[in-house]
Amino acid sequence: MKHPMLVAANELSLNADSVIVDCRFNLADKGEGERLYLEGHIPGAVYMDLERHMSGPAGEHGGRHPLPGAADFVATLASFGIGPETNVVAYDAHRLAYATRLWWMMRSLGYRPPRLLDGGYLAWVQAGGVPASGAEAAVPPVETAPNQPSFMRVCDIEGLRTAQAQGATLVDSREPRRYAGVEEPIDPLAGHIPGALNHPWQGVTDDSGAVRDEAGLLAHWGDTLEADSLVVYCGSGVTACVNLFSLTLLGRDDATLYAGSWSDWCSYL
């Protein structure tokens, strides 16, 4: 699917005009992403960790990966040489699960949205990319300020309740077995938020991690695409961003992220 927000592996330019961000991560082994980065990454790429850089501290409520404060994240981006108009390309090796988190956060703060590497790191290697290893030289920080004081198109549990009361369609992005409550490998309770429809985030990409064409994305969403108002969640507000990215590809850039997601919602039970 050709779209300005996607970069084909064989078209990625390794020039100084862009900051390339490696977002690889593994919820089951939280140090794996950085280890893989040090073993091999796209030359010039910086490593951004889901929990150290793209999440705030977890508490009793708010979910496993709460958003950091807007000012804190702006400072993080600045430390990586990223300002509001910086060209950024983000990638991971997990069907966009973590790269879209960065995409959503930057876009929500009014930054130029990153373009995402279609097919991720493996596609780049298979296209003939020669990895670099070890740590890259520190990126010169930039002086910047947030375009807006807080993340936009996001809600907490009270905002979710208000949206549902007003007729919003709620989308659960997790795997069908987690949605159905058959299994729950991470959170303390199984099941889904009452009224939610299930559109698993993996349906946005094919088995190779490449984004499906327009027909495939339309099939993924079906009639839900026509809902007047959409609120999207997952386990902790991360993989829901894959669905939000696909909605934007289809022209629906008005959907809201329930940031705490199931891990927040079930903490009140």
Side-chain angles (χ1 to χ4, degrees):
M1 183 179 187
K2 290 292 185 182
H3 193 282
M5 288 190 296
L6 287 168
V7 180
N10 61 358
E11 296 177 354
L12 178 63
S13 176
L14 305 181
N15 58 46
D17 294 336
S18 298
V19 175
I20 302 175
V21 182
D22 187 318
C23 301
R24 285 178 286 179
F25 193 78
N26 183 348
L27 290 172
D29 181 356
K30 296 180 180 182
E32 181 184 82
E34 189 165 19
R35 291 198 305 272
L36 291 174
Y37 168 80
L38 293 172
E39 291 172 6
H41 57 264
I42 296 176
V46 296
Y47 180 71
M48 196 172 292
D49 184 90
L50 170 66
E51 297 195 343
R52 297 201 312 272
H53 303 120
M54 292 188 278
S55 302
E60 180 182 1
H61 302 298
R64 287 181 281 107
H65 295 107
L67 293 171
D72 291 336
F73 189 60
V74 165
T76 294
L77 292 173
S79 72
F80 283 99
I82 297 172
E85 296 302 323
T86 303
N87 290 310
V88 175
V89 176
Y91 70 90
D92 60 33
H94 309 278
R95 300 175 73 160
L96 301 181
Y98 306 108
T100 51
R101 169 80 166 201
L102 177 62
W103 168 84
W104 184 90
M105 292 175 73
M106 289 181 60
R107 179 174 176 269
S108 179
L109 283 178
Y111 279 62
R112 176 180 293 183
R115 293 178 298 152
L116 304 185
L117 182 59
D118 200 14
Y121 182 69
L122 181 58
W124 180 79
V125 172
Q126 291 176 337
V130 180
S133 61
E136 294 281 348
V139 177
V142 297
E143 294 289 337
T144 188
N147 286 5
Q148 53 206 32
S150 60
F151 292 99
M152 305 296 289
R153 296 194 184 98
V154 62
C155 69
D156 57 13
I157 193 168
E158 292 302 325
L160 170 67
R161 290 167 178 161
T162 298
Q164 285 191 288
Q166 294 174 346
T169 296
L170 184 58
V171 174
D172 187 315
S173 304
R174 297 172 301 161
E175 298 85 343
R177 289 176 63 83
R178 291 182 70 190
Y179 168 81
V182 175
E183 63 181 32
E184 179 48 63
I186 304 175
D187 294 309
L189 294 176
H192 64 266
I193 300 173
L197 305 176
N198 189 212
H199 292 275
W201 65 275
Q202 296 93 334
V204 172
T205 55
D206 60 24
D207 290 341
S208 73
V211 174
R212 297 187 187 279
D213 61 16
E214 184 176 12
L217 294 181
L218 289 171
H220 170 68
W221 284 106
D223 293 341
T224 304
L225 189 65
E226 305 306 319
D228 290 336
S229 178
L230 290 168
V231 179
V232 184
Y233 77 95
C234 55
S236 64
V238 178
T239 54
C241 296
V242 181
N243 265 338
L244 290 164
F245 180 72
S246 71
L247 285 169
T248 299
L249 293 179
L250 293 172
R252 286 295 305 261
D253 61 357
D254 58 340
T256 295
L257 171 67
Y258 171 30
S261 289
W262 175 251
S263 58
D264 175 58
W265 195 87
C266 72
S267 73
Y268 289 93
L269 301 180

